[in-house]
Amino acid sequence: MSLTGGIILFAVIWFMIFFMVLPVRLKTQGDVDEVVPGTPAGAPHEAHLGAKVKITTIVTIVLWAIIAAVLLSGIITLEDIDFFGQLRR
């Protein structure tokens, strides 16, 4: 795995985890009956983005390290996932 591949893998994992963490413990403005004029009732009341970004980053570092270790060790290779023989040179 190259440096660019590692960065892209980290970014993809980070955004996937972030979108899974966003709705956790979400309270909407409609839930707390404090709808700000001009916003929908489903808008977040308090998003807690700072904490969610920290959680996402920690989980991503752990998952990225595991996936990178597996890929770099050679346990899973390109030939292992080439089910249709399209990736052979």
Side-chain angles (χ1 to χ4, degrees), residues 37-68:
T39 62
H45 176 64
E46 293 181 17
H48 303 289
L49 285 179
K52 290 180 181 185
V53 166
K54 289 177 187 175
I55 291 168
T56 299
T57 303
I58 292 168
V59 171
T60 301
I61 289 171
V62 171
L63 288 176
W64 180 85
I66 293 169
I67 293 170

Side-chain angles (χ1 to χ4, degrees), residues 17-81:
I17 300 298
F18 185 64
F19 288 132
M20 286 188 272
V21 170
L22 270 177
V24 174
R25 296 179 57 188
L26 177 69
K27 291 183 182 178
T28 64
Q29 293 178 11
D31 292 339
V32 295
D33 292 327
E34 295 179 12
V35 179
V36 177
T39 62
H45 176 64
E46 293 181 17
H48 303 289
L49 285 179
K52 290 180 181 185
V53 166
K54 289 177 187 175
I55 291 168
T56 299
T57 303
I58 292 168
V59 171
T60 301
I61 289 171
V62 171
L63 288 176
W64 180 85
I66 293 169
I67 293 170
V70 167
L71 291 175
L72 291 173
S73 70
I75 294 172
I76 297 176
T77 64
L78 190 59
E79 290 78 26
D80 294 334
I81 61 172

